[in-house]
PDB file of all heavy atoms in Angstrom:
ATOM      1  N   ALA A  15       5.975 124.963  97.022  1.00 88.00           N
ATOM      2  CA  ALA A  15       6.734 123.723  97.194  1.00 88.00           C
ATOM      3  C   ALA A  15       6.118 122.578  96.393  1.00 88.00           C
ATOM      4  O   ALA A  15       6.834 121.793  95.747  1.00 88.00           O
ATOM      5  CB  ALA A  15       6.802 123.350  98.672  1.00 88.00           C
ATOM      6  N   ARG A  16       4.784 122.481  96.423  1.00 86.00           N
ATOM      7  CA  ARG A  16       4.123 121.392  95.672  1.00 86.00           C
ATOM      8  C   ARG A  16       4.335 121.567  94.172  1.00 86.00           C
ATOM      9  O   ARG A  16       4.615 120.592  93.464  1.00 86.00           O
ATOM     10  CB  ARG A  16       2.637 121.384  96.016  1.00 86.00           C
ATOM     11  CG  ARG A  16       1.868 120.185  95.463  1.00 86.00           C
ATOM     12  CD  ARG A  16       2.274 118.882  96.128  1.00 86.00           C
ATOM     13  NE  ARG A  16       1.869 118.813  97.511  1.00 86.00           N
ATOM     14  CZ  ARG A  16       0.757 118.205  97.953  1.00 86.00           C
ATOM     15  NH1 ARG A  16      -0.055 117.614  97.089  1.00 86.00           N
ATOM     16  NH2 ARG A  16       0.481 118.158  99.248  1.00 86.00           N
ATOM     17  N   ARG A  17       4.219 122.800  93.666  1.00 87.00           N
ATOM     18  CA  ARG A  17       4.414 123.041  92.232  1.00 87.00           C
ATOM     19  C   ARG A  17       5.868 122.791  91.810  1.00 87.00           C
ATOM     20  O   ARG A  17       6.120 122.242  90.733  1.00 87.00           O
ATOM     21  CB  ARG A  17       4.023 124.479  91.876  1.00 87.00           C
ATOM     22  CG  ARG A  17       2.581 124.858  92.150  1.00 87.00           C
ATOM     23  CD  ARG A  17       1.597 124.114  91.239  1.00 87.00           C
ATOM     24  NE  ARG A  17       1.174 122.851  91.804  1.00 87.00           N
ATOM     25  CZ  ARG A  17       0.183 122.716  92.692  1.00 87.00           C
ATOM     26  NH1 ARG A  17      -0.461 123.765  93.136  1.00 87.00           N
ATOM     27  NH2 ARG A  17      -0.147 121.519  93.120  1.00 87.00           N
ATOM     28  N   VAL A  18       6.818 123.186  92.663  1.00 85.00           N
ATOM     29  CA  VAL A  18       8.221 122.930  92.339  1.00 85.00           C
ATOM     30  C   VAL A  18       8.499 121.433  92.342  1.00 85.00           C
ATOM     31  O   VAL A  18       9.219 120.918  91.483  1.00 85.00           O
ATOM     32  CB  VAL A  18       9.148 123.665  93.333  1.00 85.00           C
ATOM     33  CG1 VAL A  18      10.597 123.218  93.160  1.00 85.00           C
ATOM     34  CG2 VAL A  18       9.048 125.181  93.121  1.00 85.00           C
ATOM     35  N   GLY A  19       7.920 120.722  93.312  1.00 84.00           N
ATOM     36  CA  GLY A  19       8.078 119.269  93.339  1.00 84.00           C
ATOM     37  C   GLY A  19       7.495 118.606  92.108  1.00 84.00           C
ATOM     38  O   GLY A  19       7.985 117.565  91.653  1.00 84.00           O
ATOM     39  N   GLU A  20       6.455 119.215  91.546  1.00 85.00           N
ATOM     40  CA  GLU A  20       5.831 118.710  90.322  1.00 85.00           C
ATOM     41  C   GLU A  20       6.537 119.208  89.061  1.00 85.00           C
ATOM     42  O   GLU A  20       6.080 118.930  87.950  1.00 85.00           O
ATOM     43  CB  GLU A  20       4.366 119.143  90.277  1.00 85.00           C
ATOM     44  CG  GLU A  20       3.506 118.524  91.374  1.00 85.00           C
ATOM     45  CD  GLU A  20       2.126 119.163  91.477  1.00 85.00           C
ATOM     46  OE1 GLU A  20       1.910 120.221  90.838  1.00 85.00           O
ATOM     47  OE2 GLU A  20       1.277 118.606  92.194  1.00 85.00           O
ATOM     48  N   LYS A  21       7.608 119.983  89.227  1.00 83.00           N
ATOM     49  CA  LYS A  21       8.377 120.546  88.110  1.00 83.00           C
ATOM     50  C   LYS A  21       7.529 121.505  87.272  1.00 83.00           C
ATOM     51  O   LYS A  21       7.552 121.487  86.038  1.00 83.00           O
ATOM     52  CB  LYS A  21       8.948 119.427  87.211  1.00 83.00           C
ATOM     53  CG  LYS A  21       9.669 118.318  87.960  1.00 83.00           C
ATOM     54  CD  LYS A  21      10.812 118.835  88.809  1.00 83.00           C
ATOM     55  CE  LYS A  21      11.524 117.696  89.554  1.00 83.00           C
ATOM     56  NZ  LYS A  21      12.549 118.193  90.509  1.00 83.00           N
ATOM     57  N   ASP A  22       6.791 122.392  87.946  1.00 85.00           N
ATOM     58  CA  ASP A  22       5.944 123.382  87.279  1.00 85.00           C
ATOM     59  C   ASP A  22       6.292 124.775  87.813  1.00 85.00           C
ATOM     60  O   ASP A  22       5.539 125.374  88.591  1.00 85.00           O
ATOM     61  CB  ASP A  22       4.470 123.061  87.534  1.00 85.00           C
ATOM     62  CG  ASP A  22       3.529 123.900  86.667  1.00 85.00           C
ATOM     63  OD1 ASP A  22       4.030 124.795  85.951  1.00 85.00           O
ATOM     64  OD2 ASP A  22       2.305 123.675  86.725  1.00 85.00           O
ATOM     65  N   PRO A  23       7.434 125.349  87.401  1.00 81.00           N
ATOM     66  CA  PRO A  23       7.876 126.640  87.942  1.00 81.00           C
ATOM     67  C   PRO A  23       6.958 127.796  87.578  1.00 81.00           C
ATOM     68  O   PRO A  23       6.871 128.775  88.330  1.00 81.00           O
ATOM     69  CB  PRO A  23       9.268 126.819  87.336  1.00 81.00           C
ATOM     70  CG  PRO A  23       9.268 125.974  86.098  1.00 81.00           C
ATOM     71  CD  PRO A  23       8.388 124.798  86.416  1.00 81.00           C
ATOM     72  N   GLU A  24       6.273 127.735  86.429  1.00 83.00           N
ATOM     73  CA  GLU A  24       5.386 128.829  86.055  1.00 83.00           C
ATOM     74  C   GLU A  24       4.223 128.958  87.040  1.00 83.00           C
ATOM     75  O   GLU A  24       3.834 130.061  87.426  1.00 83.00           O
ATOM     76  CB  GLU A  24       4.861 128.608  84.632  1.00 83.00           C
ATOM     77  CG  GLU A  24       5.922 128.784  83.557  1.00 83.00           C
ATOM     78  CD  GLU A  24       5.332 128.725  82.162  1.00 83.00           C
ATOM     79  OE1 GLU A  24       4.091 128.630  82.048  1.00 83.00           O
ATOM     80  OE2 GLU A  24       6.108 128.782  81.192  1.00 83.00           O
ATOM     81  N   ALA A  25       3.662 127.823  87.454  1.00 84.00           N
ATOM     82  CA  ALA A  25       2.576 127.848  88.435  1.00 84.00           C
ATOM     83  C   ALA A  25       3.076 128.365  89.781  1.00 84.00           C
ATOM     84  O   ALA A  25       2.356 129.054  90.505  1.00 84.00           O
ATOM     85  CB  ALA A  25       1.969 126.456  88.585  1.00 84.00           C
ATOM     86  N   ALA A  26       4.311 128.044  90.123  1.00 86.00           N
ATOM     87  CA  ALA A  26       4.890 128.537  91.377  1.00 86.00           C
ATOM     88  C   ALA A  26       5.013 130.058  91.342  1.00 86.00           C
ATOM     89  O   ALA A  26       4.699 130.747  92.320  1.00 86.00           O
ATOM     90  CB  ALA A  26       6.253 127.896  91.608  1.00 86.00           C
ATOM     91  N   GLY A  27       5.453 130.601  90.210  1.00 86.00           N
ATOM     92  CA  GLY A  27       5.560 132.045  90.072  1.00 86.00           C
ATOM     93  C   GLY A  27       4.204 132.726  90.116  1.00 86.00           C
ATOM     94  O   GLY A  27       4.050 133.796  90.718  1.00 86.00           O
ATOM     95  N   ALA A  28       3.196 132.110  89.495  1.00 85.00           N
ATOM     96  CA  ALA A  28       1.853 132.688  89.499  1.00 85.00           C
ATOM     97  C   ALA A  28       1.294 132.764  90.917  1.00 85.00           C
ATOM     98  O   ALA A  28       0.677 133.767  91.306  1.00 85.00           O
ATOM     99  CB  ALA A  28       0.928 131.857  88.620  1.00 85.00           C
ATOM    100  N   ALA A  29       1.517 131.733  91.702  1.00 86.00           N
ATOM    101  CA  ALA A  29       1.041 131.741  93.089  1.00 86.00           C
ATOM    102  C   ALA A  29       1.715 132.846  93.894  1.00 86.00           C
ATOM    103  O   ALA A  29       1.085 133.501  94.740  1.00 86.00           O
ATOM    104  CB  ALA A  29       1.305 130.385  93.737  1.00 86.00           C
ATOM    105  N   THR A  30       2.975 133.094  93.633  1.00 89.00           N
ATOM    106  CA  THR A  30       3.711 134.153  94.335  1.00 89.00           C
ATOM    107  C   THR A  30       3.121 135.526  94.035  1.00 89.00           C
ATOM    108  O   THR A  30       2.950 136.356  94.941  1.00 89.00           O
ATOM    109  CB  THR A  30       5.193 134.117  93.936  1.00 89.00           C
ATOM    110  OG1 THR A  30       5.734 132.819  94.232  1.00 89.00           O
ATOM    111  CG2 THR A  30       5.986 135.178  94.678  1.00 89.00           C
ATOM    112  N   VAL A  31       2.789 135.780  92.771  1.00 89.00           N
ATOM    113  CA  VAL A  31       2.211 137.071  92.390  1.00 89.00           C
ATOM    114  C   VAL A  31       0.862 137.287  93.062  1.00 89.00           C
ATOM    115  O   VAL A  31       0.563 138.374  93.591  1.00 89.00           O
ATOM    116  CB  VAL A  31       2.070 137.167  90.860  1.00 89.00           C
ATOM    117  CG1 VAL A  31       1.275 138.420  90.475  1.00 89.00           C
ATOM    118  CG2 VAL A  31       3.436 137.199  90.200  1.00 89.00           C
ATOM    119  N   GLN A  32       0.017 136.259  93.073  1.00 88.00           N
ATOM    120  CA  GLN A  32      -1.299 136.409  93.683  1.00 88.00           C
ATOM    121  C   GLN A  32      -1.192 136.650  95.184  1.00 88.00           C
ATOM    122  O   GLN A  32      -1.991 137.387  95.771  1.00 88.00           O
ATOM    123  CB  GLN A  32      -2.155 135.170  93.396  1.00 88.00           C
ATOM    124  CG  GLN A  32      -2.310 134.833  91.931  1.00 88.00           C
ATOM    125  CD  GLN A  32      -2.617 136.057  91.069  1.00 88.00           C
ATOM    126  OE1 GLN A  32      -3.585 136.779  91.312  1.00 88.00           O
ATOM    127  NE2 GLN A  32      -1.776 136.308  90.068  1.00 88.00           N
ATOM    128  N   ALA A  33      -0.186 136.048  95.823  1.00 86.00           N
ATOM    129  CA  ALA A  33       0.045 136.302  97.250  1.00 86.00           C
ATOM    130  C   ALA A  33       0.426 137.758  97.485  1.00 86.00           C
ATOM    131  O   ALA A  33      -0.018 138.378  98.462  1.00 86.00           O
ATOM    132  CB  ALA A  33       1.137 135.375  97.774  1.00 86.00           C
ATOM    133  N   MET A  34       1.215 138.311  96.593  1.00 89.00           N
ATOM    134  CA  MET A  34       1.598 139.725  96.715  1.00 89.00           C
ATOM    135  C   MET A  34       0.377 140.632  96.583  1.00 89.00           C
ATOM    136  O   MET A  34       0.247 141.625  97.318  1.00 89.00           O
ATOM    137  CB  MET A  34       2.640 140.068  95.652  1.00 89.00           C
ATOM    138  CG  MET A  34       3.993 139.377  95.858  1.00 89.00           C
ATOM    139  SD  MET A  34       5.063 139.482  94.389  1.00 89.00           S
ATOM    140  CE  MET A  34       5.197 141.260  94.192  1.00 89.00           C
ATOM    141  N   ILE A  35      -0.521 140.315  95.684  1.00 89.00           N
ATOM    142  CA  ILE A  35      -1.733 141.117  95.501  1.00 89.00           C
ATOM    143  C   ILE A  35      -2.594 141.072  96.760  1.00 89.00           C
ATOM    144  O   ILE A  35      -3.079 142.103  97.251  1.00 89.00           O
ATOM    145  CB  ILE A  35      -2.527 140.612  94.279  1.00 89.00           C
ATOM    146  CG1 ILE A  35      -1.726 140.854  92.991  1.00 89.00           C
ATOM    147  CG2 ILE A  35      -3.900 141.290  94.205  1.00 89.00           C
ATOM    148  CD1 ILE A  35      -2.348 140.234  91.751  1.00 89.00           C
ATOM    149  N   LEU A  36      -2.790 139.878  97.288  1.00 85.00           N
ATOM    150  CA  LEU A  36      -3.567 139.731  98.519  1.00 85.00           C
ATOM    151  C   LEU A  36      -2.929 140.499  99.669  1.00 85.00           C
ATOM    152  O   LEU A  36      -3.600 141.192 100.438  1.00 85.00           O
ATOM    153  CB  LEU A  36      -3.680 138.247  98.891  1.00 85.00           C
ATOM    154  CG  LEU A  36      -4.695 137.407  98.129  1.00 85.00           C
ATOM    155  CD1 LEU A  36      -4.535 135.937  98.508  1.00 85.00           C
ATOM    156  CD2 LEU A  36      -6.111 137.871  98.423  1.00 85.00           C
ATOM    157  N   GLY A  37      -1.606 140.348  99.809  1.00 85.00           N
ATOM    158  CA  GLY A  37      -0.896 141.016 100.893  1.00 85.00           C
ATOM    159  C   GLY A  37      -1.024 142.525 100.825  1.00 85.00           C
ATOM    160  O   GLY A  37      -1.226 143.195 101.853  1.00 85.00           O
ATOM    161  N   ALA A  38      -0.922 143.087  99.618  1.00 88.00           N
ATOM    162  CA  ALA A  38      -1.019 144.542  99.463  1.00 88.00           C
ATOM    163  C   ALA A  38      -2.404 145.050  99.841  1.00 88.00           C
ATOM    164  O   ALA A  38      -2.546 146.097 100.491  1.00 88.00           O
ATOM    165  CB  ALA A  38      -0.701 144.925  98.018  1.00 88.00           C
ATOM    166  N   ALA A  39      -3.439 144.310  99.468  1.00 87.00           N
ATOM    167  CA  ALA A  39      -4.810 144.728  99.788  1.00 87.00           C
ATOM    168  C   ALA A  39      -5.042 144.715 101.297  1.00 87.00           C
ATOM    169  O   ALA A  39      -5.618 145.663 101.864  1.00 87.00           O
ATOM    170  CB  ALA A  39      -5.811 143.808  99.087  1.00 87.00           C
ATOM    171  N   VAL A  40      -4.608 143.657 101.949  1.00 85.00           N
ATOM    172  CA  VAL A  40      -4.808 143.557 103.397  1.00 85.00           C
ATOM    173  C   VAL A  40      -3.994 144.616 104.134  1.00 85.00           C
ATOM    174  O   VAL A  40      -4.461 145.218 105.108  1.00 85.00           O
ATOM    175  CB  VAL A  40      -4.428 142.141 103.884  1.00 85.00           C
ATOM    176  CG1 VAL A  40      -4.460 142.075 105.405  1.00 85.00           C
ATOM    177  CG2 VAL A  40      -5.375 141.110 103.297  1.00 85.00           C
ATOM    178  N   ALA A  41      -2.780 144.869 103.676  1.00 88.00           N
ATOM    179  CA  ALA A  41      -1.917 145.860 104.328  1.00 88.00           C
ATOM    180  C   ALA A  41      -2.547 147.247 104.295  1.00 88.00           C
ATOM    181  O   ALA A  41      -2.445 148.017 105.266  1.00 88.00           O
ATOM    182  CB  ALA A  41      -0.546 145.886 103.654  1.00 88.00           C
ATOM    183  N   ALA A  42      -3.208 147.587 103.197  1.00 90.00           N
ATOM    184  CA  ALA A  42      -3.841 148.904 103.085  1.00 90.00           C
ATOM    185  C   ALA A  42      -4.950 149.062 104.126  1.00 90.00           C
ATOM    186  O   ALA A  42      -5.050 150.103 104.797  1.00 90.00           O
ATOM    187  CB  ALA A  42      -4.402 149.090 101.682  1.00 90.00           C
ATOM    188  N   VAL A  43      -5.771 148.033 104.289  1.00 88.00           N
ATOM    189  CA  VAL A  43      -6.875 148.103 105.255  1.00 88.00           C
ATOM    190  C   VAL A  43      -6.353 148.197 106.682  1.00 88.00           C
ATOM    191  O   VAL A  43      -6.771 149.055 107.473  1.00 88.00           O
ATOM    192  CB  VAL A  43      -7.793 146.871 105.102  1.00 88.00           C
ATOM    193  CG1 VAL A  43      -8.856 146.877 106.196  1.00 88.00           C
ATOM    194  CG2 VAL A  43      -8.441 146.856 103.724  1.00 88.00           C
ATOM    195  N   LEU A  44      -5.413 147.325 107.039  1.00 86.00           N
ATOM    196  CA  LEU A  44      -4.871 147.324 108.394  1.00 86.00           C
ATOM    197  C   LEU A  44      -4.122 148.618 108.700  1.00 86.00           C
ATOM    198  O   LEU A  44      -4.159 149.126 109.826  1.00 86.00           O
ATOM    199  CB  LEU A  44      -3.945 146.125 108.583  1.00 86.00           C
ATOM    200  CG  LEU A  44      -4.606 144.748 108.564  1.00 86.00           C
ATOM    201  CD1 LEU A  44      -3.550 143.654 108.671  1.00 86.00           C
ATOM    202  CD2 LEU A  44      -5.614 144.620 109.696  1.00 86.00           C
ATOM    203  N   GLY A  45      -3.443 149.155 107.692  1.00 88.00           N
ATOM    204  CA  GLY A  45      -2.693 150.388 107.898  1.00 88.00           C
ATOM    205  C   GLY A  45      -3.593 151.560 108.244  1.00 88.00           C
ATOM    206  O   GLY A  45      -3.312 152.324 109.172  1.00 88.00           O
ATOM    207  N   VAL A  46      -4.692 151.711 107.519  1.00 88.00           N
ATOM    208  CA  VAL A  46      -5.615 152.813 107.777  1.00 88.00           C
ATOM    209  C   VAL A  46      -6.217 152.695 109.178  1.00 88.00           C
ATOM    210  O   VAL A  46      -6.270 153.665 109.954  1.00 88.00           O
ATOM    211  CB  VAL A  46      -6.729 152.837 106.708  1.00 88.00           C
ATOM    212  CG1 VAL A  46      -7.825 153.825 107.108  1.00 88.00           C
ATOM    213  CG2 VAL A  46      -6.151 153.213 105.345  1.00 88.00           C
ATOM    214  N   LEU A  47      -6.672 151.498 109.537  1.00 86.00           N
ATOM    215  CA  LEU A  47      -7.289 151.305 110.852  1.00 86.00           C
ATOM    216  C   LEU A  47      -6.293 151.554 111.978  1.00 86.00           C
ATOM    217  O   LEU A  47      -6.620 152.178 112.992  1.00 86.00           O
ATOM    218  CB  LEU A  47      -7.849 149.878 110.955  1.00 86.00           C
ATOM    219  CG  LEU A  47      -9.039 149.552 110.051  1.00 86.00           C
ATOM    220  CD1 LEU A  47      -9.412 148.084 110.185  1.00 86.00           C
ATOM    221  CD2 LEU A  47     -10.229 150.431 110.401  1.00 86.00           C
ATOM    222  N   GLY A  48      -5.067 151.067 111.821  1.00 84.00           N
ATOM    223  CA  GLY A  48      -4.073 151.216 112.871  1.00 84.00           C
ATOM    224  C   GLY A  48      -3.636 152.649 113.083  1.00 84.00           C
ATOM    225  O   GLY A  48      -3.446 153.093 114.219  1.00 84.00           O
ATOM    226  N   VAL A  49      -3.479 153.407 112.005  1.00 86.00           N
ATOM    227  CA  VAL A  49      -3.036 154.802 112.120  1.00 86.00           C
ATOM    228  C   VAL A  49      -4.112 155.661 112.771  1.00 86.00           C
ATOM    229  O   VAL A  49      -3.838 156.510 113.625  1.00 86.00           O
ATOM    230  CB  VAL A  49      -2.656 155.357 110.734  1.00 86.00           C
ATOM    231  CG1 VAL A  49      -2.439 156.855 110.799  1.00 86.00           C
ATOM    232  CG2 VAL A  49      -1.395 154.669 110.219  1.00 86.00           C
TER     233      VAL A  49
END
């Protein structure tokens, strides 16, 4: 939201990708422990 408000869509997209990377790493750890 802050990057879009600043009219910087490329930075907004970069933040989205890094969130996906973090989410995938955490999901793998939690999945193994839970199963």
